[in-house]
Amino acid sequence: MLPTRIKRKGSVNKAAALPLLFLFAQPLSAHATELYGQEFFQSPPRNISIHNSYSNAYQRSYPVISLELPADAGANLKRIALSQINGTEKWKWRGKDLSVYSGFYDMRKRGEKGLASLQSNDESGITEIIFSPSIKPGQIVSVVIPSINPRQGVYEWSASFYPESPSLPPSQTLGPVLRLDIYRSNIRF
């Protein structure tokens, strides 16, 4: 019985109602959303963070970027683009010996080398972490990037995430802004 406020005017178009009913009855799948041949994440990466093992200026360090790709992401994660938005100088990432491990940041964990590579574009200022193989939905990963800390200051990056796609995929820039503080060394003899 229909409520009194809703009155039926004429018959329902069954040909139009059946596909809509079928659409809503479909279970949620783990497929990426595609629009004009480009893939998007259904549920983007989350719990993104950056940690640094050492925070003194000009010291060798191992920044770790951790993230979770939700089980319902809908697409594999192929690459992360970092764009520095703040800092007293450009952070110089070392492109060799990146390692990846499963789980969130852990200072004592050692990753496996060869699962990610680093590409820097000096003109655009964007540094990309490219996973090979790509990260599957439901995984939590951390990438260790050997580096040398720059001079003291606050360094911040925005992060964009790209799904694995045969076409040129769009990015999704997400917060929070990744931030590292580098301090002046106070070693006096």
Side-chain angles (χ1 to χ4, degrees):
M1 198 104 200
L2 293 174
T4 56
R5 291 188 297 179
I6 300 175
K7 295 186 180 183
R8 223 168 124 178
K9 292 184 180 181
S11 64
V12 175
N13 184 350
K14 291 178 185 171
L18 190 58
L20 285 175
L21 182 61
F22 179 72
L23 180 66
F24 289 117
Q26 290 293 321
L28 293 175
S29 63
H31 298 289
T33 302
E34 191 171 316
L35 181 64
Y36 301 113
Q38 296 179 334
E39 281 190 22
F40 294 84
F41 289 111
Q42 287 180 348
S43 183
R46 60 182 179 215
N47 297 328
I48 303 122
S49 63
I50 188 167
H51 300 275
N52 201 355
S53 53
Y54 302 103
S55 58
N56 288 333
Y58 308 112
Q59 184 176 18
R60 185 172 27 176
S61 65
Y62 299 90
V64 177
I65 297 175
S66 300
L67 64 94
E68 176 184 1
L69 188 61
D72 61 347
N76 291 352
L77 174 65
K78 184 62 180 174
R79 60 191 167 110
I80 302 171
L82 300 173
S83 178
Q84 187 172 334
I85 55 178
N86 192 16
T88 53
E89 65 184 53
K90 186 177 181 312
W91 192 285
K92 294 180 179 98
W93 304 101
R94 290 174 47 204
K96 290 184 177 182
D97 299 326
L98 267 69
S99 60
V100 178
Y101 62 85
S102 181
F104 286 115
Y105 173 73
D106 184 346
M107 192 171 176
R108 292 180 175 28
K109 261 193 171 172
R110 298 283 180 236
E112 188 176 333
K113 294 182 180 178
L115 298 178
S117 61
L118 197 67
Q119 289 183 354
S120 294
N121 184 337
D122 292 332
E123 192 174 298
S124 66
I126 294 176
T127 301
E128 291 186 338
I129 301 167
I130 302 163
F131 296 102
S132 179
S134 58
I135 306 301
K136 294 183 170 113
Q139 289 184 317
I140 299 170
V141 294
S142 293
V143 182
V144 182
I145 310 168
S147 180
I148 295 180
N149 290 341
R151 100 176 136 206
Q152 69 190 36
V154 175
Y155 292 84
E156 295 177 323
W157 296 268
S158 65
S160 301
F161 302 90
Y162 293 83
E164 185 173 41
S165 174
S167 62
L168 181 63
S171 71
Q172 293 187 358
T173 303
L174 303 170
V177 169
L178 302 175
R179 176 186 169 131
L180 287 177
D181 295 322
I182 303 299
Y183 303 101
R184 182 172 55 101
S185 183
N186 270 342
I187 301 174
R188 297 180 196 237
F189 295 100

